[in-house]
Amino acid sequence: MSEQATAILAGGCFWCTEAVFRDVIGVSNVESGYIGGTQENPTYKQVCSGTTGHAEAIRVTFDPETINLDQLLDIFLATHDPTQLNRQGNDVGTQYRSAMFPADEYQKAAMEAAIARAQPDWPKPIVTTIEPLTTWYPAEDYHQEYWEGEGQRNPYCLAVIPPKLMKLRKSFASKVKA
């Protein structure tokens, strides 16, 4: 087994981005959490208020020999709307921003290149930010693997997640778990 890598990505509601990346081959873990804010150990309620500066994000652990960072970033930029500033659909606020948090210069360069690759696919400018890696705070337990449980009964998730999964399966069929 090769060494695992991680990437931290924010694409709106973490329930929705987590559901997408749990279906990607080479991904061994997806953890929902908070990053990019000023308050230590924020709660979901505090982050949702928009006052902590955090983004709802996911920390993706993956095998770079199975799926490389470029492929992971291409999936990220294709399965949410990176042209919406501080929102995804009805979720509005900086906590729902599209952002990437590179661990090093290699990841930062890969993220910049991914934005450039994705831009021709979008009619408006991509506004995804590349922000400094700050402290990662795992979300509360009930947010982890949300789509696999409570999300199946949540009307918001039922409206938002299936189209994202369909886009993943259509556009990245070779990267989807069986």
Side-chain angles (χ1 to χ4, degrees):
M1 186 170 157
S2 66
E3 190 170 320
Q4 299 285 289
T6 60
I8 298 179
L9 309 168
C13 166
F14 51 31
W15 298 336
C16 302
T17 46
E18 178 188 278
V20 168
F21 282 91
R22 285 196 175 280
D23 271 2
V24 175
I25 63 164
V27 171
S28 59
N29 191 49
V30 184
E31 180 180 53
S32 290
Y34 316 113
I35 191 168
T38 56
Q39 183 172 329
E40 287 188 29
N41 299 306
T43 65
Y44 180 65
K45 185 174 181 179
Q46 290 168 329
V47 172
C48 285
S49 76
T51 61
T52 69
H54 291 89
E56 285 193 17
I58 57 170
R59 182 166 59 183
V60 181
T61 303
F62 63 100
D63 175 357
E65 289 184 14
T66 304
I67 185 162
N68 64 44
L69 180 61
D70 290 342
Q71 293 165 326
L72 205 73
L73 296 173
D74 290 346
I75 290 169
F76 170 68
L77 290 166
T79 55
H80 81 289
D81 186 344
T83 70
Q84 291 189 349
L85 184 63
N86 296 328
R87 74 177 303 152
Q88 282 297 298
N90 291 330
D91 289 332
V92 179
T94 58
Q95 66 272 31
Y96 302 113
R97 67 189 178 269
S98 177
M100 299 183 278
F101 300 84
D104 54 31
E105 287 302 313
Y106 165 77
Q107 281 195 352
K108 183 178 181 187
M111 291 169 177
E112 291 167 347
I115 291 171
R117 269 194 317 278
Q119 185 57 73
D121 297 333
W122 294 95
K124 296 187 287 188
I126 290 176
V127 296
T128 303
T129 56
I130 299 173
E131 301 181 23
L133 184 65
T134 58
T135 303
W136 172 258
Y137 297 102
E140 296 83 348
D141 287 346
Y142 70 94
H143 293 295
Q144 309 302 332
E145 299 178 32
Y146 190 81
W147 175 240
E148 286 83 4
E150 183 64 29
Q152 301 284 324
R153 295 179 296 283
N154 180 316
Y156 170 82
C157 292
L158 289 168
V160 175
I161 293 174
K164 289 178 178 286
L165 294 175
M166 286 191 318
K167 184 162 189 180
L168 172 70
R169 290 183 181 100
K170 181 179 178 194
S171 301
F172 301 94
S174 68
K175 297 299 176 191
V176 178
K177 293 176 181 173

